[in-house]
Amino acid sequence: MTEDQILTEEQIQEFLNTYSEWEFREGWLRRKYATPGWPHTLMLVNTIGYLAEAGWHHPDLSVGYAAVTVKLQTHRVKAITTKDTELAQKIEETVTWLPAEESPLDGFPKHWVH
């Protein structure tokens, strides 16, 4: 296991350049995910919870009917660290995944998490 490092503003900006739906505001990495409705919101919260627990790094979540806002910051140092960007990447990769066009999986017929 490698030690987490506090990121510089340049490193945070590098992350944001790659993951443009995320923002850095008031010392937190943030991302709001819209969902088709309450059941999907609950699935999203559970998915994020599972990933966070597996990584032993826990975001703050705000939950509404058709949205989840994720806020990441390493509480111990009150800064953004490699733990935050690593978890943000895993969340993004997992919750925005859709089957490829050539996949035998159909995908959800309505607009999925975005």
Side-chain angles (χ1 to χ4, degrees):
M1 177 170 68
T2 61
E3 180 118 0
D4 62 318
Q5 300 170 7
I6 294 175
L7 300 182
T8 65
E9 286 186 32
E10 292 79 22
Q11 290 170 312
I12 293 169
Q13 189 56 55
E14 222 174 275
F15 169 82
L16 296 173
N17 291 343
T18 303
Y19 296 92
S20 60
E21 297 292 327
W22 287 80
E23 65 174 333
F24 180 64
R25 184 164 40 100
E26 298 171 353
W28 296 80
L29 282 180
R30 299 169 186 247
R31 166 80 151 92
K32 183 175 183 178
Y33 292 95
T35 72
W38 184 244
H40 298 89
T41 297
L42 292 178
M43 286 190 291
L44 177 57
V45 167
N46 285 321
T47 300
I48 292 168
Y50 180 88
L51 294 171
E53 193 63 17
W56 199 244
H57 189 59
H58 305 99
D60 287 8
L61 302 177
S62 298
V63 180
Y65 172 77
V68 177
T69 301
V70 179
K71 288 174 45 182
L72 285 163
Q73 180 190 77
T74 301
H75 299 94
R76 176 178 50 78
V77 294
K78 293 183 177 27
I80 303 303
T81 71
T82 51
K83 286 185 176 188
D84 301 305
T85 54
E86 185 80 17
L87 182 56
Q89 289 173 28
K90 183 47 89 176
I91 291 169
E92 190 73 16
E93 167 189 312
T94 303
V95 305
T96 61
W97 176 85
L98 292 171
E101 276 191 38
E102 59 279 350
S103 172
L105 299 170
D106 295 331
F108 190 67
K110 297 180 182 176
H111 198 58
W112 192 238
V113 173
H114 61 282

